[in-house]
């Protein structure tokens, strides 16, 4: 094995594996739904509440902006909000906008906790723009949840006083706003120094009750304004839903809705533990989430808003965390299941979807998939990548189609319709690309994408299929020190020269010589893409992060195994 010496006294042996990924190991405890029994039916909300929530579909979330912690809304990298941005959101078919706001750092001292007038004016201006565009709007207390509200158990009176003072001011500011403005009590509520969830549920109920009392007592439009109440952590495990159902019954207010968040099956959402595909585990996690909120609330007349949804691994600066075809499958299925379960969805966009500088979607195909899923299903396939070994004989390749209730219509290359029988064949759900077609498309077999096909179905958006020439990746010697590592999570700590030769990195394993797991995620050998490693394709390197080296036992040797997407049953060691 080739050893890569580092300043943390851990020598690393690197292994390149080009082959189909093995079945992923089990997820950590707590990663799957609880499956507890349903609570008793709750009191249904008023028809007006259900109508408002239905009219909010679909929604867009103004992430990392007014919720940013810092001087102003640009603190986390986004430009100032403009009317043009709000108009763009509306023009793309969104019917509501969630405006998360962090008030910490923008308030004065006790007992009144006055909100900075300039900050409140910024928020109000954006609300007014959105209302003028005909959008529904939801505002909240956002990162305050973990910055000071979480201390309710240990600093009860001060926290509750500040919480009610904040909502008193917001209720007064927006007292006469249209009923298209919706209030959300708190984002992702969490509490520290408690005895467990039983106490957490009591504390959240106290917050929601105080919020309800303050807003309703302010009169005007607030007397009947739709109020949105979250579960603990805004999580959809059954005990969280049951606790909120009890709170709603106690309140007895027909103008309420509930809210949860969803970022997919966590191991898939961050690419850890070998969950590189939107597989049965991810699908079950998604359906379980929607089914539980439907059974607990929607089926009994209480509307549900999924106030945030996305995948954690979507990052425009590091686009390869999750394979793009698997991302599209996730959003296609989520949109479908949201419709069947009558849940209003608000996509969380911190800039990873809409580029607010150019007002263009960073991945138009993905946005088209998200938009299409709101009204219909789209066909997909087992993969969107067909690899051709550059130095080998070109043979036919077969993909499994997932029609999702649609009918396969054919293949297209640009504006050219490919011929069934000559260019491809179809047998049941098996789509085979002929050797003749692949030879034509590969051309001189330059590493990387040589051509892109579209599998077209009777409904929805086409399925992209990239034809890629590659050879088995090669890693080179690397020796150096980690003493000057960038401490940031995505820092370049140690670079392994990597000629990927057209292939795409999927995941990586790390083990000590005794076979035990190495790396930040000690419960699995498959480490998290980004947290432990990441591929820098322009630099022809694979980076190991500071977090990875900080987790390694001094003096120990670690073997890294890099799994690529090429479906070849071969591997080679870097010696």
């Amino acid at each position: 094995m080739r050893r890569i010496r580092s300043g943390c006294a851990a020598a690393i042996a690197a292994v390149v594996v080009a082959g189909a990924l093995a079945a992923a190991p089990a997820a950590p405890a707590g990663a799957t739904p609880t499956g507890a029994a349903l609570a008793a039916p709750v009191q249904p909300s008023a028809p007006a509440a259900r109508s408002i929530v239905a009219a909010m579909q679909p929604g867009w979330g103004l992430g990392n902006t007014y919720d940013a912690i810092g001087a102003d809304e640009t603190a986390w990298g986004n430009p100032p909000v403009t009317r043009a941005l709000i108009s763009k959101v509306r023009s793309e078919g969104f019917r509501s906008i969630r405006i998360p706001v962090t008030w910490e750092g923008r308030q004065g001292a006790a007992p009144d906790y006055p909100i900075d007038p300039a900050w409140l004016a910024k928020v109000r201006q954006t609300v007014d723009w959105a209302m003028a565009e005909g959008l529904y709007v939801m505002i909240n207390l956002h990162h305050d949840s973990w910055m000071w509200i979480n201390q309710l158990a240990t600093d009860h009176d001060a926290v509750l006083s500040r919480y009610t003072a904040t909502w008193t001011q917001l209720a007064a500011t927006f007292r006469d706003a249209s009923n298209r403005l919706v209030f959300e009590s708190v984002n992702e509520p969490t509490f520290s120094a408690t005895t467990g969830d039983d106490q957490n549920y009591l504390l959240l109920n106290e917050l929601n009750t105080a919020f309800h009392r303050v807003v309703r007592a302010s009169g005007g439009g607030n007397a009947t304004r739709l109020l949105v109440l979250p579960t603990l952590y805004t999580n959809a495990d059954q005990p969280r839903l049951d606790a909120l159902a009890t709170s709603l019954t106690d309140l007895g207010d027909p103008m309420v809705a509930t809210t949860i968040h969803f970022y997919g099956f966590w191991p898939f959402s961050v690419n850890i533990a070998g969950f590189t595909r939107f597989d049965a585990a991810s699908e079950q996690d998604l359906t379980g989430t929607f089914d539980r909120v439907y059974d607990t609330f929607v089926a009994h007349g209480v509307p549900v808003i999924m106030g945030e949804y996305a995948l954690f691994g979507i990052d425009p600066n590091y686009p390869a965390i999750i394979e793009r075809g698997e991302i599209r499958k996730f959003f296609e299925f989520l949109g479908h299941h949201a419709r069947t379960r009558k849940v209003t969805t608000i996509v969380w966009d911190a800039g990873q979807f809409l580029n607010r500088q150019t007002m263009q979607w960073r991945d138009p195909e993905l946005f088209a998939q998200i938009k299409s899923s709101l009204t219909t299903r789209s066909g997909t396939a087992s993969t969107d990548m067909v690899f051709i070994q550059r130095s080998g004989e070109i043979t036919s390749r077969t993909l499994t189609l997932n029609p999702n209730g649609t009918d396969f219509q054919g293949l297209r290359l640009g504006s050219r319709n490919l011929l069934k029988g000559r260019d491809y064949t179809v047998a049941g759900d098996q789509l085979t690309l002929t050797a003749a077609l692949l030879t034509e498309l590969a051309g001189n077999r330059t590493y990387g994408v040589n051509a892109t096909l579209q599998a077209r179905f009777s409904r929805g958006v086409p399925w992209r299929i990239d034809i890629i020439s590659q050879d088995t990746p090669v890693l080179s010697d690397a020796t150096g020190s980690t003493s000057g590592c960038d401490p940031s999570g995505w820092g370049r700590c140690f670079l392994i020269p990597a000629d990927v030769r057209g292939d795409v990195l999927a995941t990586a394993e790390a083990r000590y010589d005794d076979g035990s797991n190495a790396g930040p995620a000690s419960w699995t050998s498959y480490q998290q893409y980004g947290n432990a490693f990441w591929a820098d394709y322009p630099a022809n390197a694979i980076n190991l992060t500071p977090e990875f080296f900080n987790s390694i036992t001094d003096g120990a040797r670690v073997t890294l195994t890099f799994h690529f997407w090429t479906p070849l049953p071969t591997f080679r060691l870097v010696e």
Side-chain angles (χ1 to χ4, degrees), residues 38-44 242 245-246 248-249 295-297 299-302:
L38 295 174
V42 296
Q43 172 184 310
D242 291 345
T246 299
L248 296 184
T249 300
D295 291 341
T296 308
F297 294 121
H300 301 291
V302 178

Side-chain angles (χ1 to χ4, degrees), residues 265-553:
F265 184 49
W266 179 74
F268 169 68
S269 187
V270 301
N271 190 350
I272 195 172
F275 285 92
T276 57
R277 293 184 180 275
F278 182 65
D279 60 7
S282 293
E283 185 173 312
Q284 182 180 19
D285 181 77
L286 189 154
T287 56
T289 296
F290 280 94
D291 291 354
R292 287 192 301 277
V293 298
Y294 178 85
D295 291 341
T296 308
F297 294 121
V298 179
H300 301 291
V302 178
V304 175
I305 300 170
M306 185 168 280
E308 294 181 16
Y309 80 95
L311 287 169
F312 290 123
I314 299 178
D315 188 322
N317 298 308
Y318 307 95
I321 298 175
I322 306 175
E323 200 278 319
R324 63 181 290 172
E326 302 305 312
I327 292 175
R328 285 187 59 184
K329 291 177 189 177
F330 168 82
F331 282 101
E332 192 282 330
F333 191 79
L334 186 146
H336 159 69
H337 215 63
R339 284 187 290 111
T340 64
R341 292 297 177 258
K342 299 180 175 61
V343 173
T344 287
T345 55
I346 301 178
V347 66
W348 176 260
D349 192 353
Q352 75 272 40
F353 294 110
L354 179 61
N355 185 330
R356 300 184 201 171
Q357 301 286 356
T358 65
M359 295 294 180
Q360 300 297 315
W361 297 103
R362 296 184 188 275
D363 187 339
E365 285 183 326
L366 176 57
F367 176 68
Q369 182 69 83
I370 294 172
K371 191 171 184 178
S372 176
S373 73
L374 300 173
T375 57
T376 190
R377 296 219 65 176
S378 297
T380 65
S382 53
T383 184
D384 62 341
M385 298 182 292
V386 173
F387 289 96
I388 300 171
Q389 195 166 21
R390 187 179 183 189
S391 56
E393 177 187 0
I394 295 180
T395 60
S396 62
R397 297 285 192 275
T398 298
L399 295 74
T400 300
L401 296 174
N402 306 313
N404 296 325
T406 70
D407 295 320
F408 176 69
Q409 302 288 293
L411 288 179
R412 183 175 293 177
L413 174 64
S415 60
R416 167 187 158 194
N417 290 319
L418 301 184
L419 294 179
K420 185 177 181 181
R422 186 191 72 181
D423 298 321
Y424 67 93
T425 61
V426 179
D429 62 357
Q430 300 298 292
L431 169 66
T432 299
L433 308 180
T434 65
L437 173 66
L438 294 175
T439 298
E440 173 194 344
L441 297 180
N444 63 4
R445 302 199 218 182
T446 301
Y447 285 142
V449 177
N450 300 144
T452 297
L453 304 177
Q454 285 188 338
R456 305 183 75 83
F457 297 84
S458 56
R459 299 192 308 278
V461 298
W463 179 254
R464 175 193 183 109
I465 304 173
D466 287 334
I467 310 302
I468 304 169
S469 288
Q470 62 78 228
D471 275 324
T472 304
V474 175
L475 303 189
S476 302
D477 281 331
T479 302
S481 171
T482 62
S483 59
C485 282
D486 180 342
S488 66
W490 287 87
R492 288 176 171 81
C493 186
F494 194 95
L495 275 65
I496 303 173
D499 184 0
V500 300
R501 305 168 80 187
D503 215 324
V504 181
L505 182 63
T507 186
E509 288 186 89
R511 293 184 184 274
Y512 291 112
D513 280 353
D514 63 3
S516 61
N517 302 325
S522 60
W523 54 272
T524 175
S525 63
Y526 289 87
Q527 297 302 297
Q528 182 176 337
Y529 199 123
N531 180 260
F533 70 95
W534 58 283
D536 188 343
Y537 294 105
N540 296 312
I542 296 174
N543 292 287
L544 303 180
T545 67
E547 281 74 9
F548 177 80
F549 284 101
N550 290 338
S551 70
I552 300 301
T553 302

Side-chain angles (χ1 to χ4, degrees), residues 115-126:
I115 297 172
D116 174 19
W119 183 249
L120 185 57
K122 280 179 176 285
V123 174
R124 180 164 189 170
Q125 181 181 59
T126 301

